[in-house]
């Protein structure tokens, strides 16, 4: 079954491949992908490019929020087949290359397996596993970037450090589009419980849950109007409202 891109705002598309989202941003005929799903996403990437009238050569970059296998997906195939740059925060590069402590998807298995009594968590794990979650394709060449800079790729993302879910997790503010791509720092549906609305991911999938909570404070002041994330539907509203919602849920 082919996956169709959904327009979020002009030039920004969401690709919901199972329970995982990634985003495509167009600028002057060039394309950047923000995350790229699970390891077996290459076919989906090609299908989406086709539907939007882009060829593989138009993919300039894959920009990663973090190195979990359901986000770094087929970045290596995109790098090789499209000639695209793959960019990640300097603290996250080891994970993206499969060389950091905790890179292995099996490090998430003990925590996740305790949650499999939840129908949503079971569906998420089965779906991601079918798409190669346990067999990541590490990226051989990665460009490292710093926090608080603007990257020279379609979307002109400002890098907002949001560590916690992983050590080098970042979010991207696309100021011209009014969109924040929050990855898994603040999701709009918890992949473990399935509850919709802005929230933190479950602590069992976070490297440092206390830091995830601190990172909400960084996101609170971002001036975008649309929140998109790794899991769940786009959410319209201010970031201060989104963060307030996440804190309420966290305290409940
Ligand atoms: Zn993640």
């Amino acid at each position: 079954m082919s996956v169709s891109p959904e327009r979020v705002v002009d030039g920004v598309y969401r690709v919901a491949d199972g329970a995982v989202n990634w985003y495509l941003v167009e600028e002057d005929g060039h394309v950047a992908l923000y995350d790229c799903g699970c390891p077996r996403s290459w076919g989906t990437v090609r299908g989406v490019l086709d539907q939007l009238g882009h060829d593989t050569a138009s993919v300039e970059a894959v920009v990663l929020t973090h190195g979990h296998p359901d986000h770094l997906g087929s970045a290596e195939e995109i790098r090789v087949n499209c000639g695209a740059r793959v960019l990640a925060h300097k603290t996250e590069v080891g994970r993206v290359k499969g060389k950091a402590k905790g890179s292995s998807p099996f490090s998430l298995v003990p925590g996740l397996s305790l949650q499999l009594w939840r129908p949503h968590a079971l569906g998420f794990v089965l779906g991601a596993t079918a798409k190669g979650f346990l067999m990541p394709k590490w990226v051989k060449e990665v460009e490292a970037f710093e926090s608080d800079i603007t990257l020279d790729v379609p979307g002109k993302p400002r890098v907002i450090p949001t560590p916690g879910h992983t050590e080098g997790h970042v979010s991207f503010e696309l100021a011209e589009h009014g969109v924040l791509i929050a990855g898994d720092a603040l999701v709009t549906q918890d992949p473990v419980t399935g509850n919709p609305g802005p929230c933190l991911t479950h602590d069992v999938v976070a490297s440092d849950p206390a830091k995830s909570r601190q990172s909400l404070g960084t996101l609170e002041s971002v001036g975008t109007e649309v929140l998109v994330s790794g899991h769940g539907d786009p959410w319209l509203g201010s970031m201060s409202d989104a963060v307030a919602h996440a804190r309420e849920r966290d305290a409940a």
Side-chain angles (χ1 to χ4, degrees):
M1 199 180 68
S2 75
V3 178
S4 296
E6 302 157 35
R7 178 189 168 281
V8 178
V9 297
D10 281 349
V12 180
Y13 295 86
R14 170 197 185 197
V15 179
D17 195 357
V20 178
N21 299 318
W22 51 270
Y23 299 89
L24 181 151
V25 178
E26 297 172 332
E27 206 172 84
D28 304 326
H30 298 276
V31 164
L33 308 184
Y34 289 76
D35 293 341
C36 50
C38 283
R40 293 195 188 123
S41 71
W42 174 231
T44 304
V45 170
R46 274 180 308 174
V48 165
L49 289 171
D50 224 38
Q51 291 175 67
L52 293 173
H54 295 293
D55 54 23
T56 51
S58 61
V59 184
E60 223 172 76
V62 179
V63 193
L64 296 169
T65 59
H66 66 297
H68 277 156
D70 56 330
H71 290 253
L72 86 95
S74 59
E76 175 65 5
E77 275 159 301
I78 298 167
R79 185 183 74 79
V80 171
N81 295 315
C82 303
R85 303 155 66 195
V86 177
L87 296 89
H89 189 267
K90 61 180 182 183
T91 311
E92 199 72 359
V93 169
R95 243 182 211 280
V96 173
K97 290 187 167 182
K99 292 180 176 162
K101 189 172 155 266
S103 294
S104 165
F106 289 96
S107 66
L108 294 170
V109 168
L112 272 175
S113 57
L114 291 175
Q115 300 294 327
L116 293 182
W117 59 272
R118 300 177 194 268
H120 197 88
L122 182 62
F124 174 73
V125 166
L126 292 177
T129 303
K131 293 176 199 290
F133 183 77
L134 294 175
M135 286 175 286
K137 294 173 180 163
W138 307 120
V139 185
K140 295 202 172 77
E141 286 173 32
V142 185
E143 283 179 43
F145 57 72
E146 308 270 337
S147 300
D148 303 310
I149 60 163
T150 299
L151 302 176
D152 183 22
V153 300
K156 299 183 195 70
R158 182 171 72 89
V159 177
I160 303 174
T162 45
H165 181 74
T166 61
E167 307 73 27
H169 190 293
V170 294
S171 301
F172 300 109
E173 179 189 9
L174 278 54
E176 283 178 19
H177 297 281
V179 171
L180 181 83
I181 299 176
D184 283 356
L186 174 61
V187 296
T188 51
Q189 183 178 34
D190 185 338
V192 173
T193 64
N195 293 336
C199 63
L200 290 165
T201 54
H202 199 288
D203 283 354
V204 296
V205 291
S207 297
D208 186 338
K211 263 197 183 149
S212 296
R213 290 178 174 88
Q214 278 172 24
S215 288
L216 288 179
T218 310
L219 291 175
E220 199 172 16
S221 57
V222 177
T224 48
E225 299 99 52
V226 183
L227 164 67
V228 296
S229 72
H231 308 281
D233 293 334
W235 191 84
L236 304 183
S238 70
M239 284 309 298
S240 56
D241 283 352
V243 167
H245 198 283
R247 286 190 176 132
E248 240 168 67
R249 284 266 293 271
D250 191 39

